[in-house]
Amino acid sequence: MEVSHTLICFFLLFSLQDGNTGLVSAQLSVYSVTEGEDVRFKCSSTYYRTRKVFCKKPCKQKEDILIETSDPPAQRGRYRIDDKDGDFFVTISQLTKSDSGGYRCGVVTSSSWASYKYIEIIVVDAKLDGDPSAEKTIDARTGGNIVVECSFTQYGTKRYFCKEECEREDNLLETTSNKYTKKGRYSIRYVKGGFVFVSIKQLTQSDSGWYRCGLGRPDSKDPYQRFRLIVTDALTSSTPSSSVLSVSTETTNQSESSTSSPTSPKTTEQRETSTTTGVVLYVRLTQVVLVIVSSLSVLVFCRKRICKAKSEEPEPRVETQNASAPEAEDDPSQLIYSEIKFVSVGSSHRGLHGDAECVIYSTVNNPQ
């Protein structure tokens, strides 16, 4: 992807001695690239059968070499070297904040650099170069950092970075230096050509709000750019996950799921777990009720059987035949007697006498 601009400064440097090379000149190119984009830049002229190297400063250890080849094109991860019209180019894909910094690329002979170039890459969150009234919003997470590029067509000796209405207490940083200036978590840097880079480190949610980066004075109508920063908690951005939801939040989520948004896998799992738990509790409660009802039924049945057995048990009865003394019509001297029979019924009498009948005979004396 082609970058919006290249800032080039020239200066003389002492190079490594290479036999017939002597002193060579090197140039510094500064590239600002939005995070996630690619950058491609011309590195140096090629030499026949020479090694092309791209490394990250200080380029003193083997680990600093990002890619090297003697036979372009070559690819290594996000880095690529190409040859075109006698020059070779380096491409870096999908830049991240960690890619910001200094680099060196060039042609290396057997013992030293034959030709090289210094590269500086600044990875930014946003580039502001339009009307300051246009709303530019940057989303960030707590603990992170932002870098914003503000570009101007005018020149100013003073640069500033402020918040909200840029009153005295909101003026974060002012400088007239062309170098990197830092104050606490805030920094500002001016690059020749009308480019101001501002940054905030270790973001907190209280950093949310409107900001200005500009030339001149904050309380004047001097040119400035404006952007809005929204900082959210890093935990909130994560996959719903690990925290316990309140009753109101859970109710809201269920309502939103039923209207528009699909249910997340984790929410579905929680609901299935809740449903399973409810079913288990219901089954267990039903079993307890059935056991209680069954016990009561058996108890009532047993009591009825006992009562019925008692009601059917016969009462002890006694058969008595009263003796009668009929009139002696024919023989007054004849003895008269009567028979009395006792029948014993009941478990207590059976235990003592068995089922035998007891007969008692009695005599009645004749009246004289």
Side-chain angles (χ1 to χ4, degrees), residues 120-365:
E120 182 179 0
I121 298 176
I122 303 175
V123 181
V124 300
D125 293 271
K127 294 182 178 183
L128 308 180
D129 56 2
D131 188 345
S133 63
E135 180 175 338
K136 182 71 174 181
T137 302
I138 300 174
D139 294 315
R141 301 288 180 263
T142 55
N145 63 84
I146 63 163
V147 181
V148 178
E149 175 196 300
C150 304
S151 60
F152 304 94
T153 57
Q154 302 181 21
Y155 175 77
T157 58
K158 191 173 185 179
R159 276 75 64 180
Y160 68 87
F161 182 34
C162 61
K163 186 177 182 181
E164 301 297 345
E165 298 301 323
C166 292
E167 298 177 353
R168 182 172 301 177
E169 62 274 11
D170 295 330
N171 195 7
L172 305 176
L173 196 58
E174 288 186 69
T175 184
T176 56
S177 174
N178 290 336
K179 298 181 180 180
Y180 175 83
T181 305
K182 180 181 178 182
K183 181 181 178 182
R185 298 184 298 119
Y186 310 102
S187 66
I188 189 170
R189 177 186 177 186
Y190 178 77
V191 177
K192 187 177 180 180
F195 302 94
V196 178
F197 295 88
V198 296
S199 66
I200 307 175
K201 295 182 178 180
Q202 295 298 314
L203 291 167
T204 64
Q205 288 184 315
S206 61
D207 290 323
S208 297
W210 285 95
Y211 291 85
R212 291 185 193 178
C213 49
L215 304 175
R217 301 191 313 272
D219 56 352
S220 67
K221 294 183 179 181
D222 292 332
Y224 67 88
Q225 299 291 343
R226 193 168 79 127
F227 66 92
R228 182 186 182 188
L229 175 62
I230 300 177
V231 182
T232 56
D233 192 352
L235 295 177
T236 305
S237 65
S238 40
T239 309
S241 66
S242 61
S243 58
V244 179
L245 298 178
S246 63
V247 175
S248 59
T249 305
E250 185 176 357
T251 303
T252 304
N253 290 341
Q254 290 177 355
S255 175
E256 292 176 353
S257 299
S258 61
T259 54
S260 59
S261 62
T263 306
S264 65
K266 185 170 183 182
T267 305
T268 304
E269 182 178 354
Q270 291 177 349
R271 290 182 179 177
E272 290 177 354
T273 303
S274 301
T275 304
T276 304
T277 303
V279 171
V280 171
L281 291 175
Y282 178 79
V283 171
R284 290 183 178 178
L285 181 61
T286 304
Q287 290 176 345
V288 172
V289 172
L290 289 176
V291 170
I292 294 175
V293 172
S294 301
S295 300
L296 291 176
S297 301
V298 171
L299 181 61
V300 171
F301 177 77
C302 292
R303 289 183 62 86
K304 286 184 177 182
R305 291 292 301 270
I306 292 171
C307 293
K308 183 176 181 181
K310 287 184 177 181
S311 63
E312 291 178 354
E313 183 177 350
E315 295 292 333
R317 58 190 179 86
V318 178
E319 293 182 2
T320 306
Q321 184 175 359
N322 295 326
S324 59
E327 295 182 359
E329 295 180 352
D330 298 331
D331 190 0
S333 63
Q334 187 178 357
L335 293 176
I336 301 172
Y337 64 92
S338 62
E339 181 181 331
I340 301 175
K341 182 185 292 185
F342 294 90
V343 179
S344 297
V345 180
S347 59
S348 60
H349 294 287
R350 291 189 187 100
L352 294 175
H353 305 286
D355 294 330
E357 296 183 356
C358 296
V359 180
I360 300 176
Y361 297 92
S362 63
T363 61
V364 180
N365 292 330

Side-chain angles (χ1 to χ4, degrees), residues 13-24 104 108-114 116:
L13 294 172
F14 287 97
S15 68
L16 297 175
Q17 185 68 29
D18 175 29
N20 300 325
T21 306
L23 297 177
V24 297
R104 180 188 285 187
V108 179
T109 62
S110 59
S111 60
S112 64
W113 293 90
Y116 62 90

